[in-house]
Amino acid sequence: WISSRPGIGKTRTKDKYRVVYTDHQRQELEKEFQYNRYISMRRKSELSMSLNLSERQVKIWFQNRRAKERKINKKKLQHPQFVRTPPCPPPPSTPDQLHLRRSENKTRCLNSDSDVN
DNA sequence: TTGTGTTTTACGACCTCC
DNA sequence: GGAGGTCGTAAAACACAA
């Protein structure tokens, strides 16, 4: 299968539409995510090397992970009886707020749910 | 087994900031 | 203009009831 979306020159070949990450890769990424919702350039580079992923993959994983969290939070809001105290300060909802976090190690989320060791 | 719903990678469009 | 953010979506992978 080749991407046939109009106006898109890039193609995804059929043999590898997407790869499935190993449990170890997921665990390490998840650990980092619990520690920090937004990965720094340095950590991204370190993780990509240690997990044998590209920096782009690490970046996309974090984007998808945040999307997943937002989705879960949305669900919780629809079912407030299940809501506990939020684990982290609410993620920035606007891009300009996000950019405040851009450079190295801006905000570390050191909350109760993050099992930092 | 299979039909169906959900989750997981990966990308494009669009946005903001420097 | 480039980097990286969100949002929406495609399609593979997975879970699970029937």
Side-chain angles (χ1 to χ4, degrees), chain A residues 20-38:
Chain A
V20 179
Y21 293 175
T22 65
D23 286 348
H24 176 247
Q25 286 171 324
R26 289 184 194 183
Q27 279 169 20
E28 292 302 309
L29 288 163
E30 196 66 41
K31 238 190 274 179
E32 184 67 23
F33 182 78
Q34 293 305 319
Y35 186 54
N36 190 2
R37 260 58 176 166
Y38 293 83

PDB file of all heavy atoms in Angstrom, chain A residues 20-38:
ATOM      1  N   VAL A  20       6.286  -2.034  15.724  1.00  0.00           N
ATOM      2  CA  VAL A  20       5.785  -2.197  17.085  1.00  0.00           C
ATOM      3  C   VAL A  20       6.974  -2.129  18.020  1.00  0.00           C
ATOM      4  O   VAL A  20       7.934  -2.883  17.871  1.00  0.00           O
ATOM      5  CB  VAL A  20       5.061  -3.546  17.244  1.00  0.00           C
ATOM      6  CG1 VAL A  20       4.563  -3.716  18.668  1.00  0.00           C
ATOM      7  CG2 VAL A  20       3.911  -3.639  16.273  1.00  0.00           C
ATOM      8  N   TYR A  21       6.919  -1.229  18.962  1.00  0.00           N
ATOM      9  CA  TYR A  21       8.039  -1.081  19.876  1.00  0.00           C
ATOM     10  C   TYR A  21       8.081  -2.242  20.860  1.00  0.00           C
ATOM     11  O   TYR A  21       7.062  -2.812  21.221  1.00  0.00           O
ATOM     12  CB  TYR A  21       7.934   0.248  20.631  1.00  0.00           C
ATOM     13  CG  TYR A  21       8.092   1.479  19.766  1.00  0.00           C
ATOM     14  CD1 TYR A  21       7.919   2.736  20.300  1.00  0.00           C
ATOM     15  CD2 TYR A  21       8.410   1.375  18.411  1.00  0.00           C
ATOM     16  CE1 TYR A  21       8.064   3.879  19.515  1.00  0.00           C
ATOM     17  CE2 TYR A  21       8.549   2.495  17.631  1.00  0.00           C
ATOM     18  CZ  TYR A  21       8.365   3.741  18.178  1.00  0.00           C
ATOM     19  OH  TYR A  21       8.502   4.868  17.416  1.00  0.00           O
ATOM     20  N   THR A  22       9.259  -2.553  21.308  1.00  0.00           N
ATOM     21  CA  THR A  22       9.413  -3.647  22.269  1.00  0.00           C
ATOM     22  C   THR A  22       8.931  -3.196  23.647  1.00  0.00           C
ATOM     23  O   THR A  22       8.798  -1.992  23.917  1.00  0.00           O
ATOM     24  CB  THR A  22      10.880  -4.067  22.392  1.00  0.00           C
ATOM     25  OG1 THR A  22      11.627  -2.967  22.950  1.00  0.00           O
ATOM     26  CG2 THR A  22      11.457  -4.443  21.034  1.00  0.00           C
ATOM     27  N   ASP A  23       8.692  -4.170  24.507  1.00  0.00           N
ATOM     28  CA  ASP A  23       8.268  -3.851  25.875  1.00  0.00           C
ATOM     29  C   ASP A  23       9.299  -2.974  26.570  1.00  0.00           C
ATOM     30  O   ASP A  23       8.964  -2.033  27.286  1.00  0.00           O
ATOM     31  CB  ASP A  23       8.059  -5.139  26.681  1.00  0.00           C
ATOM     32  CG  ASP A  23       6.775  -5.843  26.268  1.00  0.00           C
ATOM     33  OD1 ASP A  23       5.955  -5.216  25.549  1.00  0.00           O
ATOM     34  OD2 ASP A  23       6.591  -7.004  26.646  1.00  0.00           O
ATOM     35  N   HIS A  24      10.547  -3.286  26.333  1.00  0.00           N
ATOM     36  CA  HIS A  24      11.611  -2.515  26.980  1.00  0.00           C
ATOM     37  C   HIS A  24      11.582  -1.065  26.507  1.00  0.00           C
ATOM     38  O   HIS A  24      11.687  -0.128  27.309  1.00  0.00           O
ATOM     39  CB  HIS A  24      12.973  -3.145  26.669  1.00  0.00           C
ATOM     40  CG  HIS A  24      14.118  -2.353  27.230  1.00  0.00           C
ATOM     41  ND1 HIS A  24      15.031  -1.698  26.425  1.00  0.00           N
ATOM     42  CD2 HIS A  24      14.474  -2.087  28.508  1.00  0.00           C
ATOM     43  CE1 HIS A  24      15.914  -1.067  27.202  1.00  0.00           C
ATOM     44  NE2 HIS A  24      15.610  -1.289  28.458  1.00  0.00           N
ATOM     45  N   GLN A  25      11.431  -0.892  25.210  1.00  0.00           N
ATOM     46  CA  GLN A  25      11.376   0.472  24.674  1.00  0.00           C
ATOM     47  C   GLN A  25      10.201   1.236  25.270  1.00  0.00           C
ATOM     48  O   GLN A  25      10.321   2.378  25.699  1.00  0.00           O
ATOM     49  CB  GLN A  25      11.255   0.431  23.142  1.00  0.00           C
ATOM     50  CG  GLN A  25      12.550   0.040  22.451  1.00  0.00           C
ATOM     51  CD  GLN A  25      12.347  -0.215  20.968  1.00  0.00           C
ATOM     52  OE1 GLN A  25      11.310  -0.732  20.547  1.00  0.00           O
ATOM     53  NE2 GLN A  25      13.337   0.113  20.155  1.00  0.00           N
ATOM     54  N   ARG A  26       9.079   0.584  25.323  1.00  0.00           N
ATOM     55  CA  ARG A  26       7.883   1.231  25.878  1.00  0.00           C
ATOM     56  C   ARG A  26       8.070   1.580  27.349  1.00  0.00           C
ATOM     57  O   ARG A  26       7.705   2.655  27.803  1.00  0.00           O
ATOM     58  CB  ARG A  26       6.670   0.311  25.737  1.00  0.00           C
ATOM     59  CG  ARG A  26       6.197   0.172  24.307  1.00  0.00           C
ATOM     60  CD  ARG A  26       4.945  -0.671  24.269  1.00  0.00           C
ATOM     61  NE  ARG A  26       4.615  -1.105  22.924  1.00  0.00           N
ATOM     62  CZ  ARG A  26       3.541  -1.811  22.620  1.00  0.00           C
ATOM     63  NH1 ARG A  26       2.709  -2.173  23.552  1.00  0.00           N
ATOM     64  NH2 ARG A  26       3.300  -2.163  21.382  1.00  0.00           N
ATOM     65  N   GLN A  27       8.665   0.628  28.081  1.00  0.00           N
ATOM     66  CA  GLN A  27       8.860   0.865  29.512  1.00  0.00           C
ATOM     67  C   GLN A  27       9.754   2.074  29.757  1.00  0.00           C
ATOM     68  O   GLN A  27       9.468   2.919  30.604  1.00  0.00           O
ATOM     69  CB  GLN A  27       9.484  -0.373  30.171  1.00  0.00           C
ATOM     70  CG  GLN A  27       8.463  -1.446  30.492  1.00  0.00           C
ATOM     71  CD  GLN A  27       9.119  -2.761  30.883  1.00  0.00           C
ATOM     72  OE1 GLN A  27      10.290  -2.783  31.261  1.00  0.00           O
ATOM     73  NE2 GLN A  27       8.389  -3.858  30.765  1.00  0.00           N
ATOM     74  N   GLU A  28      10.831   2.133  28.991  1.00  0.00           N
ATOM     75  CA  GLU A  28      11.783   3.239  29.188  1.00  0.00           C
ATOM     76  C   GLU A  28      11.148   4.571  28.805  1.00  0.00           C
ATOM     77  O   GLU A  28      11.323   5.581  29.498  1.00  0.00           O
ATOM     78  CB  GLU A  28      13.046   3.000  28.363  1.00  0.00           C
ATOM     79  CG  GLU A  28      13.884   1.830  28.850  1.00  0.00           C
ATOM     80  CD  GLU A  28      14.310   1.998  30.315  1.00  0.00           C
ATOM     81  OE1 GLU A  28      14.844   3.061  30.662  1.00  0.00           O
ATOM     82  OE2 GLU A  28      14.067   1.059  31.108  1.00  0.00           O
ATOM     83  N   LEU A  29      10.418   4.571  27.703  1.00  0.00           N
ATOM     84  CA  LEU A  29       9.745   5.792  27.278  1.00  0.00           C
ATOM     85  C   LEU A  29       8.701   6.211  28.318  1.00  0.00           C
ATOM     86  O   LEU A  29       8.573   7.385  28.662  1.00  0.00           O
ATOM     87  CB  LEU A  29       9.080   5.572  25.912  1.00  0.00           C
ATOM     88  CG  LEU A  29      10.028   5.479  24.716  1.00  0.00           C
ATOM     89  CD1 LEU A  29       9.337   4.860  23.508  1.00  0.00           C
ATOM     90  CD2 LEU A  29      10.569   6.855  24.343  1.00  0.00           C
ATOM     91  N   GLU A  30       7.988   5.234  28.820  1.00  0.00           N
ATOM     92  CA  GLU A  30       6.951   5.503  29.819  1.00  0.00           C
ATOM     93  C   GLU A  30       7.575   6.065  31.095  1.00  0.00           C
ATOM     94  O   GLU A  30       7.047   7.009  31.689  1.00  0.00           O
ATOM     95  CB  GLU A  30       6.207   4.206  30.121  1.00  0.00           C
ATOM     96  CG  GLU A  30       4.875   4.390  30.832  1.00  0.00           C
ATOM     97  CD  GLU A  30       3.824   5.103  29.998  1.00  0.00           C
ATOM     98  OE1 GLU A  30       3.721   4.806  28.797  1.00  0.00           O
ATOM     99  OE2 GLU A  30       3.125   5.975  30.539  1.00  0.00           O
ATOM    100  N   LYS A  31       8.701   5.496  31.481  1.00  0.00           N
ATOM    101  CA  LYS A  31       9.403   5.968  32.671  1.00  0.00           C
ATOM    102  C   LYS A  31       9.771   7.435  32.508  1.00  0.00           C
ATOM    103  O   LYS A  31       9.567   8.250  33.397  1.00  0.00           O
ATOM    104  CB  LYS A  31      10.677   5.134  32.876  1.00  0.00           C
ATOM    105  CG  LYS A  31      10.734   4.436  34.227  1.00  0.00           C
ATOM    106  CD  LYS A  31      12.098   3.848  34.468  1.00  0.00           C
ATOM    107  CE  LYS A  31      12.249   2.467  33.884  1.00  0.00           C
ATOM    108  NZ  LYS A  31      13.595   1.887  34.107  1.00  0.00           N
ATOM    109  N   GLU A  32      10.324   7.738  31.355  1.00  0.00           N
ATOM    110  CA  GLU A  32      10.729   9.113  31.093  1.00  0.00           C
ATOM    111  C   GLU A  32       9.512  10.029  31.081  1.00  0.00           C
ATOM    112  O   GLU A  32       9.548  11.159  31.580  1.00  0.00           O
ATOM    113  CB  GLU A  32      11.471   9.197  29.749  1.00  0.00           C
ATOM    114  CG  GLU A  32      12.024  10.572  29.432  1.00  0.00           C
ATOM    115  CD  GLU A  32      13.141  11.000  30.378  1.00  0.00           C
ATOM    116  OE1 GLU A  32      13.782  10.128  30.991  1.00  0.00           O
ATOM    117  OE2 GLU A  32      13.365  12.223  30.504  1.00  0.00           O
ATOM    118  N   PHE A  33       8.421   9.518  30.545  1.00  0.00           N
ATOM    119  CA  PHE A  33       7.203  10.320  30.474  1.00  0.00           C
ATOM    120  C   PHE A  33       6.660  10.615  31.871  1.00  0.00           C
ATOM    121  O   PHE A  33       6.169  11.708  32.141  1.00  0.00           O
ATOM    122  CB  PHE A  33       6.144   9.600  29.634  1.00  0.00           C
ATOM    123  CG  PHE A  33       4.877  10.381  29.471  1.00  0.00           C
ATOM    124  CD1 PHE A  33       4.804  11.429  28.564  1.00  0.00           C
ATOM    125  CD2 PHE A  33       3.753  10.076  30.226  1.00  0.00           C
ATOM    126  CE1 PHE A  33       3.626  12.155  28.417  1.00  0.00           C
ATOM    127  CE2 PHE A  33       2.570  10.793  30.076  1.00  0.00           C
ATOM    128  CZ  PHE A  33       2.518  11.835  29.167  1.00  0.00           C
ATOM    129  N   GLN A  34       6.734   9.633  32.748  1.00  0.00           N
ATOM    130  CA  GLN A  34       6.272   9.851  34.121  1.00  0.00           C
ATOM    131  C   GLN A  34       7.129  10.904  34.812  1.00  0.00           C
ATOM    132  O   GLN A  34       6.652  11.658  35.651  1.00  0.00           O
ATOM    133  CB  GLN A  34       6.329   8.538  34.912  1.00  0.00           C
ATOM    134  CG  GLN A  34       5.360   7.477  34.443  1.00  0.00           C
ATOM    135  CD  GLN A  34       3.924   7.955  34.418  1.00  0.00           C
ATOM    136  OE1 GLN A  34       3.467   8.665  35.320  1.00  0.00           O
ATOM    137  NE2 GLN A  34       3.192   7.601  33.374  1.00  0.00           N
ATOM    138  N   TYR A  35       8.393  10.922  34.435  1.00  0.00           N
ATOM    139  CA  TYR A  35       9.321  11.877  35.034  1.00  0.00           C
ATOM    140  C   TYR A  35       9.126  13.264  34.441  1.00  0.00           C
ATOM    141  O   TYR A  35       9.200  14.277  35.120  1.00  0.00           O
ATOM    142  CB  TYR A  35      10.742  11.376  34.798  1.00  0.00           C
ATOM    143  CG  TYR A  35      11.799  12.189  35.500  1.00  0.00           C
ATOM    144  CD1 TYR A  35      11.717  12.427  36.880  1.00  0.00           C
ATOM    145  CD2 TYR A  35      12.885  12.690  34.792  1.00  0.00           C
ATOM    146  CE1 TYR A  35      12.690  13.160  37.525  1.00  0.00           C
ATOM    147  CE2 TYR A  35      13.868  13.424  35.440  1.00  0.00           C
ATOM    148  CZ  TYR A  35      13.763  13.657  36.792  1.00  0.00           C
ATOM    149  OH  TYR A  35      14.727  14.386  37.431  1.00  0.00           O
ATOM    150  N   ASN A  36       8.864  13.296  33.161  1.00  0.00           N
ATOM    151  CA  ASN A  36       8.770  14.581  32.476  1.00  0.00           C
ATOM    152  C   ASN A  36       7.893  14.446  31.236  1.00  0.00           C
ATOM    153  O   ASN A  36       8.219  13.691  30.340  1.00  0.00           O
ATOM    154  CB  ASN A  36      10.180  15.042  32.076  1.00  0.00           C
ATOM    155  CG  ASN A  36      10.184  16.473  31.589  1.00  0.00           C
ATOM    156  OD1 ASN A  36       9.137  17.137  31.576  1.00  0.00           O
ATOM    157  ND2 ASN A  36      11.325  16.950  31.184  1.00  0.00           N
ATOM    158  N   ARG A  37       6.797  15.169  31.213  1.00  0.00           N
ATOM    159  CA  ARG A  37       5.868  15.106  30.071  1.00  0.00           C
ATOM    160  C   ARG A  37       6.493  15.634  28.790  1.00  0.00           C
ATOM    161  O   ARG A  37       6.079  15.270  27.699  1.00  0.00           O
ATOM    162  CB  ARG A  37       4.620  15.935  30.375  1.00  0.00           C
ATOM    163  CG  ARG A  37       3.423  15.145  30.839  1.00  0.00           C
ATOM    164  CD  ARG A  37       3.709  14.360  32.071  1.00  0.00           C
ATOM    165  NE  ARG A  37       2.537  13.656  32.582  1.00  0.00           N
ATOM    166  CZ  ARG A  37       2.617  12.696  33.484  1.00  0.00           C
ATOM    167  NH1 ARG A  37       3.789  12.299  33.947  1.00  0.00           N
ATOM    168  NH2 ARG A  37       1.530  12.099  33.915  1.00  0.00           N
ATOM    169  N   TYR A  38       7.453  16.503  28.917  1.00  0.00           N
ATOM    170  CA  TYR A  38       8.096  17.086  27.730  1.00  0.00           C
ATOM    171  C   TYR A  38       9.575  16.748  27.764  1.00  0.00           C
ATOM    172  O   TYR A  38      10.289  17.143  28.678  1.00  0.00           O
ATOM    173  CB  TYR A  38       7.871  18.599  27.686  1.00  0.00           C
ATOM    174  CG  TYR A  38       6.426  18.948  27.472  1.00  0.00           C
ATOM    175  CD1 TYR A  38       5.552  18.978  28.548  1.00  0.00           C
ATOM    176  CD2 TYR A  38       5.928  19.201  26.201  1.00  0.00           C
ATOM    177  CE1 TYR A  38       4.208  19.272  28.369  1.00  0.00           C
ATOM    178  CE2 TYR A  38       4.592  19.495  26.012  1.00  0.00           C
ATOM    179  CZ  TYR A  38       3.739  19.525  27.098  1.00  0.00           C
ATOM    180  OH  TYR A  38       2.412  19.810  26.911  1.00  0.00           O
TER     181      TYR A  38
END
